[in-house]
């Protein structure tokens, strides 16, 4: 096997040093023979590197990927352009094959890049402190609810029906073992029903979650909800699409206490939904409740500035059952991808990307709602996604469009949110006028 | 550059050398990515009240400067492609390059989780086959690939165990684990709404059967055990332990962080475990990425199958699909289906190795660890002097008496070009050094490590100061972690604070 650097002779020498003649003798000293003597494994035979490459190429080519078809699917994961420099740096062994920077003196590269990531995330979300990353947007959302409950000592979380259904599902799973209730804020016309929200926010409420733009791409009226949450002593948790934040008001500007986001749009491929990047930032008063790793600046014994993991007493390896979270391994490499991506983009680029998505989505909207059998579902302002009601079942529509080289969007009937016969379309810089004209042509011809 | 680091310690340090962040390289007007033109401003589409007023500070840098900056950072890291990384419990093995090439095929990177099933048959087939293989390796009946890290797998398991007990009448209240357990175990217990009960390990470092018996009762939902445990020792009483756990109706959870030692030899299911998590980023060679992403699949016996996270991958004839119709499922624990790209890497690895390769992995991992242990035990205390599995734990007690702490030894090892072992864990060994060489290291590399460890042991006697002031050959000297926590600076700032 090409990943084992010792010969039989070397192994024999090592076994002798360990006081045995062969491996079975060594293994038997550690593991009772009855646990391994007759164990059978039904495994396919080993493959050469060439053979395994062919196998994986075959599997890969059975998928239809967005580089060979035009996709308008979004709903939490988006097809963005991948600048060449991102992977060129990401796949450097120095970043790629290192682990958690517990030993700061030999991990300054990772530590400083996380410090830069924390700065960028704090800035984009408009918050004071970002952690080093979470698994994804959904688990970040769930952990935000945990922070809020611990901080307020309350046990009710309000989750709007306009939150991404998968985020709502993960949040509810995460809290299922704890005495914390998850109540749903109803929606009307695709937005949080403000009147109901006002009634439901009370002195038992730990947190109100608000997604902006919401799952349906629409812009929520955030201010009154946050105001009401704060009046009741609850925390406001905002879930955002970070690519919009060069243009849209940040969670910090809205006065959110915790902001979470799915960072996948920042230089991370769709990859069938993982790995993703959970972003989380809070205001300073919550820093000691942050889950996961945090990097701080310090000084070394030679007087150099440098970086190390900090406030580790929040974490599981020190605090064990009293830790703020169980998270250990996070999404460090994805955080690095986002850091490099944002370094390339700069503030102008971030705004520009948001504007491109905005322009493309509105160009498409104006055309799509004029196609026979398609109508606009909601009237409120939207950002990069919108919903159309279709006279034909969306699943049928998707099937037919696929034959013409288009993935037109997400069939919302698969979610339990009362939106049957609705199709949601998403836009990025990858879906410009050319792609949209093709979409319109295909949808018109169905 | 912010002066935060400088102010409070003024006078303590001469010629303070500043860190140069990407923000310090910023020049207004530069950018590292050209984008297509836009026609209309955002305000054309969106009412003013939704628009951002305060611009975020992001660096303005050209592409070549970005590349130079991150290459400059990268070379300050130690990594497995450079040299030995014997971080116990982390299984820092070589990450085969073919895995990455496979994971980066466009058919895997450029597919969306909400694409119609007919367009992702290859991805679903891979997930289905990987689950089958992990099932065979663990002896378990079913596998879920949704958890994305070991701790995530633990938490998911405990929620499934809770659902299982609830279904048969009572969720129960506590989860028991030994004092040698990873910190993630008790942290996951709390998040799953259980109370932690920690039991003391026996003199031999293993589960003390009578202590376990005394701790088990009808309130216990599960017993969590790492086997081989965090001392690198296989619990030889494992079958008896399983019986004790099952006799009160509790579930037996295996923390699979150390599965590398058992690959192709011992099946967790045959040890009596009901559920086990796999760390694909340890055992199955997916790169650690500076702290993730990982993948934390679970293997489980069929009485727990109904509770697996939704959806699961199913096969109907020659078609693959996602089954959401799982009424007893605990729900979702991830936005989509887990860390797919890492699952591709793990699958590639297992298919390439086959059974022979997996057996070779465990054989070489165990031989390498025992070889190191045999050569080091004369120079450092070995509190549990028995045949180890893939790792072993030394104690720096002897050196501590001479005024040198384990943390000093760890820092000194860096001067020899090695990453230090895991230190101060497990908590039941004072001044612990947990050493896991993995199968990836040659005898020559291990001999160099032994030589360095012996030299350090000599230095403790002869010139301890060189250890106490280590490291000397690293990009930076020893970091003041206390200061980082006291004067918390967690982001770059253009303003000079505190001055």
């Amino acid at each position: 096997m090409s990943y084992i650097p010792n010969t039989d002779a070397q192994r024999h020498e090592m076994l002798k040093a360990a006081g045995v003649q062969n491996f079975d003798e060594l293994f038997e000293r550690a593991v009772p023979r009855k646990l391994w003597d007759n164990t059978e494994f039904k495994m396919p035979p080993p493959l050469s590197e060439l053979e395994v490459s062919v196998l994986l190429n075959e599997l890969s080519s059975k998928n239809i990927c967005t580089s060979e078809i035009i996709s308008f699917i979004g709903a939490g994961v988006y097809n963005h352009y991948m600048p060449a420099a991102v992977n060129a740096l990401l796949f450097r062994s120095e970043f790629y094959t290192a682990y958690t920077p517990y030993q700061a003196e030999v991990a300054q590269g990772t530590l400083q890049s996380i410090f830069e990531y924390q700065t960028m995330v704090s800035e984009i979300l408009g918050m004071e402190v970002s952690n080093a990353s979470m698994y994804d947007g959904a688990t970040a959302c769930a952990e935000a609810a945990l922070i809020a409950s611990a901080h307020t000592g309350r046990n009710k979380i309000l989750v709007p029906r306009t939150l991404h259904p998968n985020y709502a599902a993960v949040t509810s799973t995460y809290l299922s073992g704890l005495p914390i209730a998850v109540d749903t804020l109803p929606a009307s016309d695709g937005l949080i029903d403000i009147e109901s929200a006002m009634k439901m926010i009370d002195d038992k409420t730990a947190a109100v979650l608000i997604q902006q733009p919401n799952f349906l791409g629409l812009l929520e009226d955030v201010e009154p909800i946050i105001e009401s949450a704060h009046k009741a002593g609850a925390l406001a948790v905002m879930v955002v699409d970070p690519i919009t934040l060069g243009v849209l008001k940040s969670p910090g500007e809205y006065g959110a206490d915790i902001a979470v986001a799915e960072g996948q749009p920042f230089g991370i491929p769709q990859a069938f939904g993982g790995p993703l990047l959970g972003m989380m930032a809070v205001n300073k008063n919550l820093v000691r409740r942050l889950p996961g790793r945090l990097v701080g600046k310090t000084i070394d014994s030679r007087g150099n500035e440098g970086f190390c993991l900090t406030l580790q007493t929040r974490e599981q390896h020190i605090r064990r059952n009293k830790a703020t979270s169980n998270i250990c391994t996070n999404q460090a490499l994805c955080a690095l991808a986002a850091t490099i991506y944002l370094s390339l983009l700069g503030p102008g680029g971030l705004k520009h990307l948001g504007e491109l998505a905005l322009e493309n989505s509105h160009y498409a909207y104006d055309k799509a709602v004029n196609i026979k059998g398609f109508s606009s579902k909601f009237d409120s302002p939207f950002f990069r996604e919108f919903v159309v009601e279709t006279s034909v079942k969306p699943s049928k529509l998707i099937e037919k469009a696929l034959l013409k080289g288009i993935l037109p969007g997400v069939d919302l009937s698969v979610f339990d949110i009362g939106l049957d016969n609705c199709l949601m379309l998403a836009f990025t810089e990858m879906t410009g006028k050319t792609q949209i004209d093709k979409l319109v042509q295909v949808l018109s011809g169905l | 550059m912010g002066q935060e680091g400088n102010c409070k310690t003024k006078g303590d340090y001469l010629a303070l050398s500043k860190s140069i962040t990407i923000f310090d390289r910023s020049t207004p007007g530069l950018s590292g990515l050209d984008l297509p033109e836009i026609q209309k401003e955002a305000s054309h589409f969106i009412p003013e009240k939704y628009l951002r007023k305060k611009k975020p500070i992001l660096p303005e840098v050209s592409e070549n400067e970005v590349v130079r900056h991150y290459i400059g950072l990268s070379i300050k890291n130690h990594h497995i492609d450079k040299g030995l990384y014997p971080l116990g419990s982390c299984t820092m093995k070589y990450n085969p390059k073919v895995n990455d090439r496979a994971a980066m095929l466009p058919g895997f990177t450029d597919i969306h989780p909400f694409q119609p099933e007919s367009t992702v048959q290859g991805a679903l087939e891979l997930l289905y086959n990987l689950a089958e293989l992990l099932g065979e390796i663990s002896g378990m009946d079913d596998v879920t690939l949704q958890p994305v890290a070991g701790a995530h797998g633990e938490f998911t398991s405990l929620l499934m165990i809770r659902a299982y007990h609830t279904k048969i009448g009572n969720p129960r209240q506590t989860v028991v684990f030994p004092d040698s357990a990873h910190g993630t175990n008790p942290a996951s217990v709390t998040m799953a709404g259980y109370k932690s009960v920690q039991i003391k390990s026996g003199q031999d470092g293993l589960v003390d059967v009578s202590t376990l018996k005394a701790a088990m009762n009808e309130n216990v939902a599960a017993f969590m055990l790492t086997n081989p445990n965090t001392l690198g020792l296989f619990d030889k009483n494992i079958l008896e332990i399983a019986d004790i756990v099952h006799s009160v109706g509790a579930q037996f959870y295996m923390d699979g962080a150390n599965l590398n030692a058992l690959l192709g030899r011992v099946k967790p299911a045959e040890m009596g475990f009901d559920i086990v998590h796999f760390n694909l980023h340890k055992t199955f060679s997916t790169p650690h990425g500076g702290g993730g992403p990982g993948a934390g699949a679970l293997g489980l016996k069929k009485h727990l199958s109904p509770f697996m996270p939704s959806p699961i991958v199913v096969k109907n004839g020659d078609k693959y699909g996602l089954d959401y119709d799982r009424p007893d499922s605990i729900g979702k624990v991830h936005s989509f289906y887990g860390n797919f790209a890492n699952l591709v890497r793990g699958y590639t690895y297992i298919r390439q190795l086959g059974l022979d390769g997996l057996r070779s992995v465990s054989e070489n991992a165990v031989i390498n660890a025992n070889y190191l242990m045999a050569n080091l035990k004369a120079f450092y205390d070995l509190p549990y002097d028995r045949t180890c599995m893939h790792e072993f734990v030394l104690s720096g007690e002897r050196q501590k008496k001479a005024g040198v702490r384990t943390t000093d030894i760890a820092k000194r090892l860096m001067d020899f070009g090695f990453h230090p072992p895991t230190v101060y864990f497990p908590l039941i060994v004072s001044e612990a050094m947990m050493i896991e060489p993995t199968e990836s290291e040659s005898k020559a590399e291990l001999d160099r490590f032994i030589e360095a460890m012996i030299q350090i042991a000599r230095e403790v006697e002869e010139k301890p100061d060189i250890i106490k002031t280590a490291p000397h050959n690293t990009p930076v000297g020893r970091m003041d972690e206390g200061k980082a926590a006291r004067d918390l600076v967690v982001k770059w700032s253009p303003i000079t604070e505190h001055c």
Side-chain angles (χ1 to χ4, degrees):
Chain A
M1 211 248 287
S2 51
Y3 311 130
I4 300 293
N6 287 322
T7 62
D8 281 342
Q10 285 167 320
R11 263 186 295 277
H12 186 67
E13 212 181 313
M14 293 162 80
L15 284 163
K16 262 172 52 191
V20 291
Q21 287 307 310
N22 58 55
F23 179 67
D24 278 4
E25 195 186 332
L26 182 73
F27 205 66
E28 189 172 14
R29 287 184 179 190
V31 183
R33 197 171 256 276
K34 63 178 169 186
L35 284 168
W36 52 274
D37 217 13
N38 294 312
T39 308
E40 275 181 35
F41 292 84
K42 291 190 197 77
M43 305 265 300
L47 299 174
S48 64
E49 180 175 328
L50 186 151
E51 289 164 319
V52 84
S53 295
V54 169
L55 175 77
L56 270 291
N57 275 325
E58 277 170 11
L59 283 170
S60 161
S61 62
K62 287 182 187 172
N63 300 324
I64 297 175
C65 60
T66 53
S67 33
E68 52 193 11
I69 195 167
I70 304 169
S71 169
F72 298 90
I73 302 181
V77 164
Y78 301 90
N79 179 24
H80 282 282
Y81 177 70
M82 183 71 74
V86 173
N87 280 349
L89 291 168
L90 208 63
F91 280 81
R92 290 279 300 196
S93 291
E94 294 88 338
F95 288 127
Y96 198 69
T97 75
Y99 200 20
T100 305
Y102 291 122
Q103 297 289 348
E105 296 79 8
V106 285
Q108 285 298 299
T110 296
L111 286 161
Q112 183 174 329
S113 72
I114 296 173
F115 182 82
E116 293 174 358
Y117 165 85
Q118 289 171 184
T119 308
M120 290 176 189
V121 172
S122 311
E123 282 292 327
I124 289 168
L125 300 179
M127 306 295 287
E128 289 172 333
V129 187
S130 155
N131 76 357
S133 75
M134 309 294 291
Y135 303 138
D136 64 355
T139 59
C141 189
E143 295 253 15
L146 288 172
I147 295 177
S149 178
H151 185 70
T152 59
R154 299 175 179 185
N155 55 11
K156 188 167 93 177
I157 306 291
L158 295 176
V159 174
R161 206 157 154 79
T162 58
L163 175 69
H164 194 304
N166 288 8
Y167 287 32
V170 170
T171 302
S172 141
T173 306
Y174 256 62
L175 301 180
S176 63
L178 300 169
I180 301 175
V182 179
D183 291 350
T184 305
L185 289 180
S188 62
D189 292 329
L191 297 174
I192 296 174
D193 185 287
I194 303 272
E195 262 180 51
S196 317
M198 297 298 175
K199 282 185 205 138
M200 290 176 71
I201 298 170
D202 59 21
D203 60 5
K204 304 263 189 316
T205 309
V208 185
L209 274 49
I210 308 151
Q211 187 173 10
Q212 179 79 330
N214 71 19
F215 175 62
L216 305 168
L218 305 173
L219 295 173
E220 297 273 8
D221 195 4
V222 175
E223 277 97 345
I225 301 169
I226 291 196
E227 198 180 308
S228 154
H230 284 167
K231 225 176 255 172
L235 300 190
V237 177
M238 282 189 75
V239 183
V240 290
D241 172 357
I243 211 95
T244 67
L245 289 180
V247 173
L248 289 183
K249 206 179 256 192
S250 70
E253 286 177 297
Y254 279 118
D257 301 284
I258 307 173
V260 298
E262 174 50 64
Q264 178 273 331
F266 290 158
I268 298 159
Q270 302 163 84
F272 207 39
L276 301 173
L277 168 63
M279 294 179 161
M280 173 181 277
V282 299
N283 286 330
K284 263 186 189 149
N285 62 324
L286 294 173
V287 67
R288 277 162 211 281
R289 295 195 186 276
L290 265 182
R293 290 169 189 143
L294 185 64
V295 169
K297 191 155 92 170
T298 187
I299 290 176
D300 77 353
S301 54
R302 304 169 202 164
N304 302 305
E305 281 186 347
F307 304 89
C308 63
L309 293 174
T310 193
L311 299 188
Q312 293 191 66
T313 49
R314 297 165 297 112
E315 290 188 68
Q316 47 75 29
H317 60 285
I318 311 269
R319 194 54 65 84
R320 297 175 75 84
N321 63 328
K322 301 248 178 355
T324 53
S325 166
N326 68 339
I327 191 167
C328 179
T329 287
N330 55 23
Q331 303 287 113
L333 200 71
C334 301
L336 178 63
T339 310
I340 297 165
Y341 183 84
L342 287 166
S343 300
L344 293 167
L345 219 52
L350 179 64
K351 180 158 181 277
H352 196 118
L353 268 187
E355 285 171 334
L356 276 172
L358 195 56
E359 190 167 284
N360 290 340
S361 68
H362 286 75
Y363 176 78
Y365 177 86
D366 291 343
K367 300 231 161 183
V369 297
N370 286 313
I371 302 173
K372 193 162 172 274
F374 291 79
S375 57
S376 173
K377 180 71 184 169
F378 304 111
D379 296 329
S380 331
F382 60 92
F383 198 89
R384 64 142 128 189
E385 286 177 290
F386 63 81
V387 178
V388 288
E389 195 156 10
T390 60
S391 56
V392 183
K393 263 187 168 315
S395 55
K396 282 270 163 262
L397 213 117
I398 291 168
E399 210 173 288
K400 285 185 182 170
L402 188 56
L403 299 173
K404 310 239 155 116
I406 298 271
L407 286 167
V410 175
D411 172 6
L412 291 183
S413 69
V414 303
F415 302 101
D416 182 25
I417 49 173
L419 290 172
D420 297 337
N421 295 324
C422 285
L423 182 75
M424 185 161 76
L425 297 83
F427 299 84
T428 69
E429 73 283 358
M430 302 292 273
T431 43
K433 197 166 173 294
T434 315
Q435 290 76 21
I436 294 167
D437 289 345
K438 175 93 192 284
L439 167 79
V440 172
Q441 187 203 334
V442 166
L443 293 183
S444 305
L446 295 181
Chain B
M1 179 64 225
Q3 304 282 306
E4 308 93 322
N6 193 351
C7 315
K8 291 194 175 172
T9 53
K10 202 170 270 177
D12 293 356
Y13 301 100
L14 294 171
L16 187 70
S17 142
K18 298 283 184 194
S19 54
I20 306 293
T21 68
I22 189 75
F23 295 92
D24 299 299
R25 294 181 185 266
S26 185
T27 307
L30 292 181
S31 159
L33 185 67
D34 297 325
L35 290 162
E37 295 291 311
I38 48 160
Q39 307 299 321
K40 288 172 185 154
E41 295 279 315
S43 55
H44 182 80
F45 304 105
I46 302 241
E48 198 65 33
K49 70 166 187 165
Y50 297 106
L51 300 183
R52 183 161 194 149
K53 305 287 181 299
K54 189 170 180 284
K55 265 175 62 171
I57 299 172
L58 291 173
E60 297 178 69
V61 195
S62 66
E63 177 182 319
N64 44 330
E65 285 287 306
V66 170
V67 169
R68 203 171 269 178
H69 177 73
Y70 288 103
I71 293 294
L73 288 190
S74 74
I75 58 174
K76 297 180 181 179
N77 276 357
H78 184 85
H79 52 103
I80 191 63
D81 283 354
K82 182 182 179 193
L84 179 68
Y85 207 133
L87 204 57
S89 231
C90 296
T91 314
M92 299 301 291
K93 64 167 71 178
Y94 176 67
N95 312 134
K97 303 302 175 193
V98 67
N99 300 352
D100 300 322
R101 190 173 63 195
M104 293 310 287
L105 291 168
F108 294 136
T109 56
D110 298 347
I111 49 173
H112 191 286
F114 285 141
Q115 278 184 218
E117 285 172 9
S118 66
T119 66
V120 288
Q121 284 297 302
L124 293 171
E125 182 179 345
L126 185 149
L127 295 177
Y128 185 87
N129 291 344
L130 174 61
E132 294 274 299
L133 290 172
L134 291 175
E136 187 59 29
I137 289 167
S138 60
M140 294 292 181
D141 301 317
D142 259 316
V143 167
T144 170
L145 302 169
Q146 202 175 117
V148 297
H152 202 212
E154 292 171 17
F155 175 55
T156 305
S157 298
L158 291 168
L159 290 181
M160 287 170 62
I161 287 170
R162 174 177 277 282
Y164 165 80
H165 284 303
T166 305
K167 183 90 179 173
I168 58 173
N170 174 4
R172 305 188 172 205
Q173 282 146 17
T174 60
V175 172
V176 182
F177 49 84
D179 51 8
S180 56
H182 294 113
T184 48
N185 290 185
S188 300
V189 168
T190 302
M191 279 176 73
Y194 284 114
K195 286 206 167 48
S196 288
V197 176
Q198 181 169 302
I199 58 169
K200 203 167 156 17
S201 297
Q203 292 290 319
D204 55 1
L206 305 178
V207 173
D208 184 273
V209 170
S210 57
T211 309
L212 176 68
K213 267 186 194 155
M216 297 305 289
N217 56 57
E218 308 269 312
N219 266 331
V220 178
F223 179 56
M224 300 176 88
L225 185 66
T226 311
N227 195 30
N229 69 12
T230 58
L231 296 164
L233 303 175
F234 187 91
D235 210 314
K236 58 186 189 311
N237 304 318
I238 193 72
L239 295 175
E240 188 186 353
I241 293 168
D243 284 344
I244 296 168
V245 173
H246 291 141
S247 70
V248 296
Q251 296 294 293
F252 196 15
Y253 176 85
M254 173 163 158
D255 178 327
N258 296 341
L259 193 65
N260 211 43
L262 305 178
L263 281 183
R265 298 178 185 278
V266 184
K267 291 186 172 183
E270 292 180 5
M271 292 191 269
F273 288 103
D274 298 294
I275 185 162
V276 55
H277 87 249
F278 307 89
N279 295 92
L280 269 70
H281 50 295
K282 299 178 180 177
T283 315
F284 299 108
S285 81
T286 80
H288 283 68
L298 297 171
L300 45 112
K301 290 196 177 148
K302 55 176 177 291
H303 63 280
L304 293 172
S305 300
F307 311 103
M308 285 194 288
S310 167
I312 60 162
V313 182
V314 290
K315 185 179 183 183
N316 297 311
D318 58 353
K319 292 264 184 293
Y320 297 86
L322 291 164
D323 180 10
Y324 286 88
D325 186 17
R326 311 274 305 165
D328 287 327
S329 164
I330 58 164
K332 290 186 71 61
V333 294
H334 184 259
S335 297
F336 300 101
Y337 323 118
N339 278 348
F340 175 72
N342 277 353
L343 301 174
V344 175
R345 290 180 173 91
Y347 182 69
T348 309
Y349 183 71
I350 296 171
R351 287 304 308 267
Q352 189 184 0
L353 265 58
L355 180 60
D356 292 347
L358 295 179
R359 286 174 63 85
S360 180
V361 164
S362 52
E363 175 180 345
N364 284 279
V366 172
I367 292 174
N368 281 359
N370 277 285
Y371 178 69
L372 278 186
M373 186 174 78
N375 281 284
L376 292 175
K377 66 182 183 183
F379 303 91
Y380 296 87
D381 291 350
L382 177 65
Y384 303 96
D385 188 1
R386 287 213 312 281
T387 302
C388 68
M389 297 292 281
H390 64 300
E391 68 188 0
F392 60 100
V393 179
L394 297 175
S395 166
E397 266 306 307
R398 199 185 310 174
Q399 288 72 24
K400 189 182 171 190
K401 287 189 189 103
V404 172
R405 302 286 310 263
T406 280
T407 193
D408 303 318
I409 296 168
K411 303 300 182 196
R412 182 65 177 144
L413 267 172
M414 297 173 185
D415 288 337
F416 294 87
F418 298 115
H419 195 282
T422 296
V423 292
Y424 298 101
F425 186 83
L427 306 176
I428 58 173
V429 173
S430 63
E431 300 294 312
M433 287 176 270
M434 185 194 213
I435 302 172
E436 180 182 15
T438 82
E439 72 280 8
S440 306
E441 300 305 328
S442 67
K443 180 173 176 296
E445 182 77 351
L446 297 178
D447 286 339
R448 280 192 288 275
F449 180 72
I450 292 165
E451 209 176 298
M453 286 292 283
I454 293 174
Q455 182 174 328
I456 293 170
R458 279 201 205 104
E459 287 173 350
V460 171
E461 306 298 327
E462 292 159 12
K463 40 180 179 178
D465 280 351
I466 201 168
I467 309 179
K468 286 193 255 183
T469 53
H472 307 281
N473 302 337
T474 47
V476 292
R478 202 180 291 196
M479 281 294 152
D480 185 346
E481 294 188 2
K483 176 181 164 49
R486 274 192 315 276
D487 308 334
L488 196 63
V489 179
V490 292
K491 62 178 180 184
W492 179 86
S493 153
I495 309 155
T496 306
E497 288 169 22
H498 314 302
C499 284

